[in-house]
Amino acid sequence: MINKPNRAFIFDLDGVITQTSEYHFMAWKTVCKKIGYDLTREKNEELKGVNRNKCLDLIMEWGKIRLSEKEIESLLEAKNNIYKDYIKDLNENDLCEGVLNFINDAIKNNIKIALYSASRNAKRILCQLKIIDLFTVIIDGNNVSNAKPDPEGFKIAADLTKTNTKDCVVFEDSISGIEGAKKLNMYTVGIGSRDVLKNADVVYKGFKNLKIKDIINV
């Protein structure tokens, strides 16, 4: 728990603000069938928070699959198109329960709100959810060279919010995201399963009953 005057909350998107993580899984599972690989939910946990290219690299490694550059590009495009079709009707009703109240309470307490998502569709999704204006800083897959668990995106978010990394709180549903944030000594809040996110400082199932004072002194 931290108690500093200059603080920032950094949120992941998929699985934290909205449950689009399920759509990523379904899209990857469809693509994997094309190359003869059966993607399980257990292995999918390792894809959470990871950019599209690195996800396919991992899948090829797990399945011992070799593909040409042209095949790789085609599969990456297919995955993105399938995913975008799933999210085309996404709206404010698809926000995770309690997350909007939590963010608004943080803003009232002068906490800066940032987003760091591996998704290159992040801004589009925030617009569809009608919450893009709540974020001081938005970092997505278009803004970083190195995917999670590399801490690059978290460092950029801290710099742009003018917040010391140790005064940042990160909300993540992915193993890779928690790992990246901890490399910068950020306080990590896992959203999801304690069994999966055991490396987080604290884990909650969601935001339904979560209060700011549960995370920091306000």
Side-chain angles (χ1 to χ4, degrees):
M1 186 175 287
I2 64 174
N3 183 23
K4 297 287 182 181
N6 186 38
R7 299 166 295 201
F9 283 179
I10 304 172
F11 292 83
D12 182 29
L13 178 60
D14 302 313
V16 174
I17 290 175
T18 184
Q19 289 299 348
T20 43
S21 55
E22 179 66 14
Y23 298 145
H24 280 295
F25 171 62
M26 291 162 65
W28 275 125
K29 194 166 182 66
T30 299
V31 167
C32 284
K33 285 182 180 178
K34 296 177 184 289
I35 55 176
Y37 180 74
D38 182 23
L39 178 65
T40 64
R41 287 190 178 276
E42 183 181 37
K43 294 304 284 184
N44 185 64
E45 289 295 332
E46 297 180 48
L47 300 182
K48 288 184 177 180
V50 178
N51 70 29
R52 202 181 313 152
N53 295 67
K54 189 172 180 181
C55 282
L56 187 53
D57 286 342
L58 287 170
I59 289 165
M60 289 166 60
E61 180 184 331
W62 298 335
K64 295 180 173 56
I65 298 164
R66 297 185 67 177
L67 299 170
S68 67
E69 286 299 319
K70 186 175 181 179
E71 288 172 322
I72 288 171
E73 289 177 14
S74 177
L75 287 172
L76 290 174
E77 183 178 1
K79 188 271 172 181
N80 194 41
N81 287 337
I82 295 167
Y83 174 71
K84 287 196 291 186
D85 190 56
Y86 279 131
I87 66 169
K88 65 183 179 183
D89 297 322
L90 203 70
N91 58 57
E92 61 267 37
N93 294 320
D94 294 299
L95 284 163
C96 291
E97 187 175 7
V99 71
L100 183 57
N101 286 338
F102 186 85
I103 291 174
N104 282 325
D105 284 346
I107 292 171
K108 289 175 185 176
N109 281 280
N110 299 312
I111 297 168
K112 296 169 185 175
I113 305 299
L115 181 112
Y116 171 36
S117 168
S119 175
R120 293 183 179 180
N121 298 297
K123 289 183 180 178
R124 168 187 168 175
I125 291 172
L126 292 178
C127 286
Q128 288 180 235
L129 296 172
K130 297 183 179 179
I131 60 170
I132 193 166
D133 292 338
L134 298 179
F135 293 84
T136 305
V137 167
I138 298 171
I139 307 295
D140 62 20
N142 299 296
N143 306 121
V144 294
S145 300
N146 302 296
K148 302 172 186 176
D150 189 280
E152 178 188 4
F154 294 112
K155 183 64 168 63
I156 294 172
D159 289 344
L160 291 178
T161 57
K162 298 180 180 178
T163 308
N164 193 302
T165 55
K166 65 182 176 60
D167 297 326
C168 293
V169 179
V170 170
F171 298 84
E172 271 279 359
D173 76 322
S174 71
I175 299 167
S176 61
I178 297 293
E179 183 181 338
K182 290 185 79 67
K183 288 177 181 176
L184 298 174
N185 295 314
M186 293 179 169
Y187 188 79
T188 54
V189 180
I191 302 297
S193 167
R194 294 179 188 276
D195 293 335
V196 174
L197 303 173
K198 56 186 95 177
N199 59 334
D201 290 303
V202 64
V203 179
Y204 294 92
K205 288 184 178 180
F207 291 91
K208 183 178 178 181
N209 299 309
L210 186 57
K211 306 295 183 185
I212 303 296
K213 62 181 176 61
D214 296 328
I215 308 299
I216 59 173
N217 294 321
V218 293

